[in-house]
Amino acid sequence: MNKFLVLVIEDDAPVRNLITTTLKTHDYRYLTAENGENAILQVTSHNPDVILLDLGLPDMDGVEVIKKIRSWSNTPIIVISARSEDTDKIDALDAGADDYLTKPFSVEELLARLRVTQRHFAIMKQEKDNDAIFENGDLKIDYAAGCAWLAGAELHLTPIEYKLLCLLSKNMGKVLTHTYITQQIWGSSWENDVASLRVFMATLRKKLESGPAGKQYIQTHIGIGYRMLRVE
Amino acid sequence: MSGKQTEAVQDMAGVVGRSGDRAGNHMGDHAGDQTREHILVCLSSAPSNAKIIRTAARMAQAYQGTLTALFVETPEFASAGTEDHDRLQANTRLAQELGAVTEHVAGDDIAFRIAEFSRLNGVTKIVVGRSNVASRRFPGRRALTDRLIAFAPNTEIYIIPDSLTDSDYRVRKKRSGKPMFSLLDTVKSIISLVMATSLSLLFYRWGLSDANIITVYILGVLITSVVTDHMVYGVLASVASVFIFNYLFTYPRYTLLAYDIGYPMTFLVMLLASLLTGTLAARMKNLAYQSARSAYRTKILLDTNQSLQHAAGREAIVHATADQLSKLTGRDVEIYLPENCDLEQLLSGEDSDERLCCPIRLGGVLYGVAAIDVKGNPVDAFENGILMSILGECALAMENEKNAREKEDAAVLAQNEQLRANLLRTISHDLRTPLTSISGNASNLMTNGKDFDETTKQQLYTDIYDDSMWLINLVENLLSVTRMEGEGVKLHRDAELMDEVIAEALRHIDRRRSEHTIAVQNENELLLVQMDARLIVQVIINLVNNAIKYTQQGSAITISVREENHMAVVCVADDGPGIPDGMKPQIFDLFYTGEHPVTDGRRSMGLGLALCKSIVTAHGGAITVADAEPHGAVFTFTLPIKEVQLHE
């Protein structure tokens, strides 16, 4: 029995059914809410492990729900949005959501996102006391020493690349928006910064993923941002 | 703008277009001209003129007709004072504010000019004030209205009684006029008299007759009239000639007496002859001067008209106008447009000595304000007349430009409407097929699920999945279409790595991709392109899906990226049967599906490639199709490269 408790906030019954059926068949425990008010009530009373939130709710804006929940809880939130505009997702991510799914999504995709969040959740609990050293697959970062190693060999990174790597690693599993990253690295988010970000991210990724194993550490979300993936 | 107004403005434009024989402004049909009232009001510098203009404007409104304000510049007006010019300018401006088109003609005979103008421009009603009628200096001459009636018998003439007394205004006009006597003119007159007298003395010594001497004096008066500015010199010279002739050449000489009975008659005839020749000469001189000015005016207006016609767009019109104005006045000219500042405020803030603000107005619509830097050197009446005409031309050009733009917008709108209608029709038709398959298969599975064997079931599931994927892809394309339409060319552009974009696109490719080999070749992994990523992803998806759809199983699809002349060149090539040459020209047309023998009943809406084209075009690139060697199709599109300055 999977002990993971998922709160599904979705006003459309067929989609809610699809999600709950999927969760049931994969042994997740779940709660449902049809509107924002009910959802916030559920979060306060049941404290779920992960929240699936549809942005288009009848009573309030999805971003508002995220802000309310974030005011007291760090529960991972996966946003579900009908693919209309990227800005919706970016707003949600900047408001504190961890990940997003775009309708129409496949069942496999939903389960994969849940697993990512689950692992992230587990690591967060585990690594509370040991945060000077970061480890993910072959990647190892010593924040105190300011060094990074891939499979034992030291990585030669430019200062910006190192800053990017630290930012991504400290938010592993979470999608970081372009605006968020440029503001953290350069303190601004000019158009040119975004272009620079693309280039640095590409070179950093090349250094990380060029090894013989060729594992993917950084995932690109076109028009949204980047995320570091958990590598086994 | 309501239909009626548009018509009126077009009509007005047509009328003005004809008045100066200016080609190109011609618009609207003139069949209705005779039924539509065209009201002419005479502009003058009289203080009471404002009232007449208002009356005419009310009349034009009541008849829903067009209003033209005409100013006839007489030779006398040139010598009028600045006060008169200011008043005339104020009146002209008032007329324009009330929606009149102002016109300017020069001539001696006001009534004749008005009648001529009315006939040429199809004026149906003429409004004049009584002050225009008054002609006190020539009581014998018929009143203006009588003459007008005689010249234009078919036109209705409205006379507005003038409550202001005109007499004190006339006095002021005289006082404020040009000085009658000038030293130069006096010297010129005296010289010509002295010369005439010397010649006469010579003739006298040679014993030539009085007739010769009289002719010499008349010649002297004629010369005086020609070389001096004011008629008074001619008159004085005539009188002086008679006296000098009397004093020097009639018996008894050196007295003002004459013994011969014939002499008084001679003096009288001589006086009359010299007066008449003098006046005629002066008038001719004035006419010559006026026709020179009018030629100059016509030339400038023609120039303006030509440069305005070549001007494409409002900016160009404004530039051409400003050029002409500064060329004409030799002063700095600024033109303000409504979006830059509050024009009404600019106009109501009275003209200072530094700056003259003139509205660019037509039919009550204010298109802009021209501010002319006068700096203590005011614009004279002649310049002012041309100025008004140029501004009128400018307003007309702007009006035409606006109309053309509106027409274009309407055409685009109509085309969009047509597209939308086509789209809806095609969609509603094409949606039915996959929906029928999805709902039918699902219903079968629900009711008879137990009776199907495992392979049949699998087939049904696959069909449902495929059809829904087809629908998803369709919706994506439709969303991109609305995005293109909704935002026009305002794309949400960012610098993106071509590599990442291709990778993202490949994640959304058709399920059947496993039946084909897809390879990506990229020379420069850090190639940054300025683009709306979501749309370009859609372009690549469409091209690759097309390649999958129209090639046999196991075909090779290659996506390659290279850099060429600051453009990123992306090719999607396949080794399928290729595209027949006959289809290539139309392949990017919307709803073009070709006579393609669709291999396994896969549908096409003719939406994908049309969308690709509009997306790539909006990005400033181009999309083409060519044949691959030895067989197959290559779709190539280009996008501008973003040069980036790295922020370390």
Side-chain angles (χ1 to χ4, degrees):
Chain A
M1 180 75 183
N2 201 325
K3 293 286 174 216
F4 218 60
L5 180 63
V6 182
L7 172 62
V8 182
I9 311 170
E10 165 67 74
D11 61 319
D12 184 57
V15 178
R16 200 169 56 229
N17 259 341
L18 171 71
I19 297 175
T20 51
T21 313
T22 311
L23 292 178
K24 211 189 294 178
T25 50
H26 290 84
D27 290 339
Y28 284 96
R29 289 188 297 139
Y30 63 87
L31 298 162
T32 57
E34 301 84 46
N35 55 48
E37 210 179 324
N38 194 0
I40 289 166
L41 211 69
Q42 298 267 35
V43 176
T44 46
S45 50
H46 296 282
N47 193 23
D49 295 313
V50 66
I51 299 168
L52 288 174
L53 169 67
D54 180 52
L55 281 181
L57 291 176
D59 61 336
M60 60 203 288
D61 187 28
V63 175
E64 282 305 306
V65 179
I66 297 172
K67 283 181 183 159
K68 286 226 164 93
I69 294 173
R70 276 288 169 265
S71 63
W72 80 87
S73 161
N74 270 329
T75 312
I77 300 175
I78 299 176
V79 164
I80 300 170
S81 83
R83 181 191 204 156
S84 54
E85 282 298 320
D86 287 339
T87 48
D88 296 351
K89 292 171 226 160
I90 292 172
D91 288 347
L93 289 170
D94 281 337
D98 293 77
D99 199 357
Y100 65 90
L101 266 174
T102 305
K103 281 182 196 169
F105 54 84
S106 67
V107 172
E108 287 75 24
E109 205 175 348
L110 170 68
L111 291 170
R113 299 297 170 99
L114 277 176
R115 280 195 298 273
V116 166
T117 318
Q118 211 174 341
R119 277 199 300 267
H120 181 209
F121 189 67
I123 290 157
M124 261 172 35
K125 274 186 178 165
Q126 207 180 74
E127 289 186 346
K128 274 265 163 66
D129 43 15
N130 186 22
D131 54 6
I133 303 282
F134 169 88
E135 274 186 90
N136 180 16
D138 291 337
L139 178 68
K140 187 175 160 197
I141 307 171
D142 186 339
Y143 295 130
C147 294
W149 294 271
L150 187 68
E154 188 169 350
L155 278 168
H156 297 287
L157 301 174
T158 67
I160 296 264
E161 284 168 357
Y162 180 71
K163 266 173 143 182
L164 278 174
L165 184 62
C166 291
L167 189 66
L168 286 169
S169 62
K170 283 177 181 162
N171 293 283
M172 194 171 66
K174 191 172 154 122
V175 178
L176 303 179
T177 62
H178 294 138
T179 321
Y180 178 78
I181 299 175
T182 47
Q183 262 166 6
Q184 292 296 311
I185 303 286
W186 287 279
S188 64
S189 58
W190 295 337
E191 197 195 347
N192 222 354
D193 293 333
V194 179
S196 302
L197 173 63
R198 301 270 197 289
V199 175
F200 286 120
M201 210 50 112
T203 52
L204 171 63
R205 163 187 271 173
K206 225 172 142 194
K207 288 177 186 174
L208 282 182
E209 297 169 5
S210 63
K215 287 172 189 152
Q216 196 191 9
Y217 286 92
I218 299 170
Q219 193 182 36
T220 306
H221 293 250
I222 286 279
I224 309 272
Y226 297 91
R227 159 163 68 179
M228 178 167 282
L229 295 173
R230 180 82 209 168
V231 176
E232 297 305 328
Chain B
M1 201 183 263
S2 78
K4 244 182 195 148
Q5 271 172 314
T6 320
E7 232 178 280
V9 169
Q10 284 183 345
D11 217 24
M12 203 186 296
V15 166
V16 175
R18 272 178 295 159
S19 73
D21 252 350
R22 300 166 209 143
N25 291 332
H26 205 81
M27 45 192 298
D29 65 332
H30 297 291
D33 275 3
Q34 289 311 312
T35 54
R36 180 177 293 283
E37 298 293 345
H38 183 177
I39 292 154
L40 180 85
V41 63
C42 300
L43 285 175
S44 78
S45 61
S48 56
N49 192 230
K51 184 187 154 197
I52 297 156
I53 295 169
R54 288 212 168 83
T55 312
R58 270 198 297 276
M59 226 161 97
Q61 204 171 17
Y63 285 117
Q64 299 206 329
T66 57
L67 180 64
T68 305
L70 179 72
F71 176 63
V72 182
E73 188 184 350
T74 55
E76 289 89 26
F77 188 74
S79 57
T82 47
E83 255 179 72
D84 285 282
H85 287 159
D86 287 351
R87 260 199 306 272
L88 175 67
Q89 201 180 315
N91 288 340
T92 312
R93 193 175 286 185
L94 174 73
Q96 285 172 342
E97 274 171 33
L98 293 172
V101 177
T102 53
E103 287 290 326
H104 183 127
V105 295
D108 197 16
D109 188 342
I110 299 179
F112 177 71
R113 290 290 160 196
I114 295 175
E116 188 79 354
F117 184 88
S118 309
R119 207 178 55 239
L120 288 175
N121 293 286
V123 170
T124 52
K125 290 176 170 41
I126 299 176
V127 182
V128 287
R130 189 105 74 117
S131 65
N132 281 335
V133 181
S135 185
R136 294 176 186 201
R137 270 183 290 174
F138 302 102
R141 217 161 144 182
R142 281 194 295 167
L144 176 79
T145 36
D146 293 341
R147 290 164 54 71
L148 253 181
I149 292 165
F151 285 131
N154 297 327
T155 317
E156 291 167 48
I157 296 167
Y158 293 79
I159 302 162
I160 310 300
D162 193 346
S163 55
L164 285 165
T165 47
D166 225 20
S167 53
D168 60 327
Y169 158 66
R170 288 256 178 230
V171 172
R172 252 192 288 143
K173 178 174 174 181
K174 274 220 173 92
R175 205 180 290 148
S176 61
K178 238 190 200 168
M180 233 188 254
F181 299 100
S182 77
L183 189 64
L184 186 67
D185 281 355
T186 315
V187 170
K188 279 183 190 164
S189 321
I190 290 172
I191 287 176
S192 70
L193 269 182
V194 167
M195 300 248 298
T197 309
S198 318
L199 197 62
S200 299
L201 283 171
L202 208 65
F203 281 8
Y204 189 76
R205 185 158 306 160
W206 292 340
L208 298 176
S209 71
D210 285 355
N212 291 302
I213 294 168
I214 292 170
T215 319
V216 169
Y217 274 106
I218 292 178
L219 181 69
V221 171
L222 193 70
I223 291 170
T224 309
S225 307
V226 171
V227 297
T228 55
D229 276 348
H230 207 283
M231 273 197 9
V232 77
Y233 288 104
V235 175
L236 286 180
S238 324
V239 175
S241 300
V242 171
F243 279 110
I244 294 170
F245 175 67
N246 185 355
Y247 188 75
L248 289 180
F249 304 106
T250 58
Y251 292 105
R253 289 184 66 189
Y254 310 117
T255 61
L256 285 178
L257 296 172
Y259 293 155
D260 198 310
I261 320 174
Y263 275 133
M265 219 51 212
T266 313
F267 294 152
L268 190 66
V269 172
M270 183 179 164
L271 182 66
L272 281 179
S274 57
L275 269 179
L276 261 176
T277 36
T279 320
L280 275 178
R283 182 171 289 183
M284 236 169 69
K285 195 181 122 190
N286 256 326
L287 273 179
Y289 176 63
Q290 251 178 27
S291 66
R293 294 241 277 191
S294 134
Y296 174 63
R297 191 185 134 91
T298 312
K299 187 183 162 301
I300 286 188
L301 288 183
L302 208 68
D303 272 5
T304 310
N305 191 259
Q306 264 172 358
S307 56
L308 283 180
Q309 265 172 29
H310 288 298
R314 213 165 60 128
E315 286 292 303
I317 290 173
V318 168
H319 275 291
T321 310
D323 268 3
Q324 282 293 328
L325 286 182
S326 62
K327 232 189 276 174
L328 168 74
T329 59
R331 298 175 174 92
D332 291 340
V333 176
E334 278 180 275
I335 293 185
Y336 296 94
L337 295 174
E339 58 269 24
N340 299 338
C341 59
D342 188 358
L343 296 181
E344 294 294 345
Q345 199 188 350
L346 206 65
L347 283 176
S348 61
E350 263 309 303
D351 299 339
S352 60
D353 287 341
E354 304 266 295
R355 219 161 69 143
L356 174 70
C357 290
C358 309
I360 302 173
R361 194 192 292 271
L362 185 72
V365 184
L366 189 57
Y367 290 98
V369 169
I372 298 154
D373 190 6
V374 284
K375 287 251 169 62
N377 177 16
V379 179
D380 69 25
F382 175 67
E383 275 185 333
N384 194 47
I386 303 181
L387 196 91
M388 288 299 162
S389 302
I390 291 181
L391 291 180
E393 288 274 349
C394 173
L396 201 65
M398 283 189 163
E399 167 93 19
N400 283 347
E401 194 263 346
K402 196 179 124 211
N403 283 344
R405 208 174 33 196
E406 274 170 0
K407 211 180 253 178
E408 209 170 281
D409 286 352
V412 168
L413 208 66
Q415 202 188 348
N416 278 350
E417 247 355 274
Q418 183 63 37
L419 270 186
R420 220 182 295 268
N422 273 348
L423 197 63
L424 273 180
R425 202 171 39 246
T426 320
I427 290 170
S428 50
H429 174 260
D430 280 29
L431 282 185
R432 286 204 180 104
T433 327
L435 286 175
T436 310
S437 142
I438 292 173
S439 58
N441 285 334
S443 136
N444 264 342
L445 284 169
M446 275 176 348
T447 48
N448 316 317
K450 281 172 245 148
D451 304 339
F452 293 137
D453 61 44
E454 204 44 47
T455 38
T456 319
K457 267 192 202 163
Q458 207 54 48
Q459 183 55 49
L460 294 180
Y461 293 142
T462 314
D463 286 349
I464 291 176
Y465 183 80
D466 282 351
D467 277 323
S468 54
M469 286 315 279
W470 187 87
L471 284 176
I472 286 171
N473 189 37
L474 172 71
V475 169
E476 288 303 315
N477 274 331
L478 286 179
L479 274 180
S480 299
V481 168
T482 55
R483 201 174 158 122
M484 294 290 294
E485 270 189 8
E487 293 173 29
V489 275
K490 271 189 225 147
L491 302 172
H492 180 75
R493 292 202 213 190
D494 255 331
E496 303 279 355
L497 281 176
M498 211 57 229
D499 243 13
E500 289 184 347
V501 173
I502 293 173
E504 169 77 12
L506 291 180
R507 282 179 46 208
H508 296 281
I509 295 299
D510 204 283
R511 188 180 56 86
R512 291 185 177 85
R513 63 177 291 184
S514 50
E515 298 165 6
H516 304 259
T517 49
I518 300 178
V520 180
Q521 295 168 356
N522 192 354
E523 290 172 1
N524 177 3
E525 287 172 344
L526 296 181
L527 190 62
L528 273 175
V529 175
Q530 194 73 12
M531 65 162 102
D532 188 321
R534 175 120 2 260
L535 292 177
I536 296 299
V537 164
Q538 196 63 43
V539 169
I540 298 172
I541 292 176
N542 284 348
L543 292 180
V544 176
N545 273 350
N546 259 356
I548 292 174
K549 191 149 119 191
Y550 293 113
T551 58
Q552 68 286 2
Q553 268 191 27
S555 71
I557 298 164
T558 314
I559 306 170
S560 61
V561 185
R562 63 176 194 278
E563 210 178 317
E564 225 174 76
N565 302 329
H566 300 286
M567 297 292 264
V569 183
V570 184
C571 295
V572 178
D574 65 58
D575 58 358
I579 295 160
D581 284 341
M583 272 174 71
K584 278 177 191 153
Q586 295 125 290
I587 200 161
F588 294 109
D589 290 354
L590 197 51
F591 306 123
Y592 178 77
T593 50
E595 312 303 323
H596 211 279
V598 179
T599 40
D600 55 355
R602 289 176 211 175
R603 291 168 294 269
S604 165
M605 269 184 57
L607 191 61
L609 285 177
L611 182 64
C612 289
K613 185 177 172 130
S614 56
I615 291 174
V616 172
T617 312
H619 278 82
I623 186 164
T624 52
V625 60
D627 289 326
E629 286 300 325
H631 52 86
V634 186
F635 283 89
T636 308
F637 68 90
T638 56
L639 293 171
I641 281 178
K642 162 93 175 171
E643 307 286 350
V644 69
Q645 200 88 44
L646 284 192
H647 285 193
E648 288 280 356

